[in-house]
Amino acid sequence: MDFELSEDQRAIEQMADSLFVDYCDDDAMRKWDTSGEPMMAPLWALCRETGLHALAIAEADGGSGLGMTELMLVLQAQGRGLGQVPLWRHQLAAATLGRFASGEYAAWIEAAASGEALLSLSLDGVNAANGITLHATPNGATWQVDGRVAALPLAVQSGAALVPVLLHGQPRLMLLELQSPCVQFTPAVMTHGEAVADVQVEGLSVSHLLPVGALDWLEPRAIAAVAALQLGVSEEQIRRTVAYVSERQQFERRIGSFQAVQMSMADARIALEALRSTLWQLCYRLDAGLPAPSEALATAWQACEAGHRIGHVAQHVHGGIGVDLTYPIHRFLYWSRALGLALGGSAVCLERLGDWLSDNDKLGWKYDLEEHQAL
């Protein structure tokens, strides 16, 4: 089996690394903390210029037509740099529309692929304790939509957003056009700096909802995207923490030489590699067109667990300097916690995985093969 990246994939990875490393240095991040801007507009312009904003959008719709593996590599680089740009939401929203509703939303897809319009996306209601709070009711040939979408990323800055809505108790996806007079915003900022807004919808008439299969197609890809960001954030947390403990001295010894510190960092590394292996398997299966419901839920759980463990180990090992906001390590903890919450948290992911296992008696790679191949 060949686990090496192709030349094109390596080129995409190197370009993304260079882009985020050059733009997201610590000085730039300190300025960003006090800028009050909703996103890194110059960095987003560079993403559009290099085509990173449309990797996963089909070629027929104006994108690059690449898969989750390529997007994963870019998102890892974004996570390492903490680049505040809507890379995965924008293009996965456009890719979903292109696959399931290209005729109805061709203008939005084309504008998203060119970068002229910004699309947002939120699946938080799928995992939230209070469930999906946006409801659609039949109204002749259309649907009337009422309710609320909590903490929609870049809601004020986006032209439209792909969000879940309940129709007869079943979740469906709909494109919510955010400039409608039926839509009201309550803006806020997440702890890690992401601009969001609670969106209140009253009496909105929509003519199209995406088919039931659209959510099943989008959710594992959204999980893979968030997990890829978590992997990048966690990698950089570990790298910076190792550099710190290799220099910081206590009792006339480098603290990295203490057994307790070494064991903590080893546990963090194991959690990182567990996340990496599950994420790579998930992206492979998605790109190969194989079903991946359990793999997605396992990856989500690993991302929550790894983010929590690595984030807190890094803070603990840094000691007092870890809580100094002029020192950069706190930003990575904010991001890792926010990404874990975006996935619903460990308990929710594990509960959903348990429910899936209770309903399915086949699990593992061999069930994708013909009987004679699985021996």
Side-chain angles (χ1 to χ4, degrees), residues 267-288:
D267 286 343
R269 187 73 194 190
I270 291 170
L272 182 76
E273 295 308 320
L275 171 58
R276 191 193 311 277
S277 63
T278 54
L279 173 61
W280 275 62
Q281 184 194 37
L282 173 59
C283 290
Y284 159 73
R285 293 182 66 88
L286 293 174
D287 288 344

Side-chain angles (χ1 to χ4, degrees), residues 219-293:
E219 188 181 12
R221 287 163 174 81
I223 288 173
V226 176
L229 284 171
Q230 188 75 280
L231 181 61
V233 170
S234 299
E235 277 184 324
E236 185 64 11
Q237 275 180 310
I238 290 177
R239 188 195 69 79
R240 287 174 178 256
T241 304
V242 168
Y244 177 79
V245 301
S246 298
E247 297 177 359
R248 175 79 166 90
Q249 292 196 10
Q250 189 71 35
F251 307 115
E252 299 182 353
R253 290 176 56 186
R254 289 187 176 87
I255 61 175
S257 66
F258 296 132
Q259 187 179 39
V261 173
Q262 292 174 350
M263 292 174 65
S264 293
M265 296 309 301
D267 286 343
R269 187 73 194 190
I270 291 170
L272 182 76
E273 295 308 320
L275 171 58
R276 191 193 311 277
S277 63
T278 54
L279 173 61
W280 275 62
Q281 184 194 37
L282 173 59
C283 290
Y284 159 73
R285 293 182 66 88
L286 293 174
D287 288 344
L290 297 171

Side-chain angles (χ1 to χ4, degrees), residues 23-38:
Y23 189 89
C24 299
D25 57 47
D26 288 342
D27 289 337
M29 297 306 293
R30 291 189 188 97
K31 293 177 182 177
W32 159 255
D33 286 344
T34 57
S35 69
E37 296 294 324

Side-chain angles (χ1 to χ4, degrees), residues 13-236:
E13 181 182 39
Q14 291 168 3
M15 178 177 64
D17 276 334
S18 176
L19 180 66
F20 287 104
V21 166
D22 289 346
Y23 189 89
C24 299
D25 57 47
D26 288 342
D27 289 337
M29 297 306 293
R30 291 189 188 97
K31 293 177 182 177
W32 159 255
D33 286 344
T34 57
S35 69
E37 296 294 324
M39 61 183 285
M40 296 176 175
L43 180 58
W44 181 239
L46 290 173
C47 291
R48 290 169 52 190
E49 183 181 323
T50 55
L52 296 182
H53 75 294
L55 286 179
I57 301 175
E59 285 187 273
D61 295 322
S64 299
L66 299 177
M68 284 307 303
T69 300
E70 290 80 9
L71 181 57
M72 173 193 70
L73 297 172
V74 173
L75 294 175
Q76 283 179 231
Q78 181 186 354
R80 286 191 289 268
L82 305 184
Q84 200 65 261
V85 287
L87 271 176
W88 75 269
R89 288 190 176 93
H90 174 78
Q91 56 193 295
L92 285 188
T96 305
L97 292 175
R99 186 177 182 89
F100 293 96
S102 57
E104 297 86 349
Y105 298 113
W108 278 112
I109 300 166
E110 181 181 348
S114 66
E116 295 176 7
L118 179 63
L119 297 184
S120 186
L121 182 157
S122 175
L123 297 180
D124 289 359
V126 175
N127 296 316
N130 58 346
I132 298 169
T133 54
L134 199 62
H135 298 268
T137 54
N139 185 19
T142 64
W143 291 271
Q144 179 174 313
V145 177
D146 299 277
R148 177 172 174 266
V149 181
L152 178 64
L154 294 176
V156 176
Q157 294 74 29
S158 300
L162 202 59
V163 295
V165 58
L166 281 180
L167 176 64
H168 302 310
Q170 184 177 39
R172 299 277 291 273
L173 287 175
M174 64 166 282
L175 187 69
L176 176 62
E177 298 192 11
L178 295 166
Q179 307 310 315
S180 168
C182 299
V183 176
Q184 302 295 323
F185 303 103
T186 304
V189 179
M190 296 284 282
T191 309
H192 67 305
E194 184 175 44
V196 299
D198 286 347
V199 180
Q200 188 69 37
V201 182
E202 294 184 4
L204 177 66
S205 178
V206 298
S207 56
H208 295 96
L209 296 178
L210 273 64
V212 175
L215 181 58
D216 293 335
W217 185 88
L218 173 59
E219 188 181 12
R221 287 163 174 81
I223 288 173
V226 176
L229 284 171
Q230 188 75 280
L231 181 61
V233 170
S234 299
E235 277 184 324
E236 185 64 11

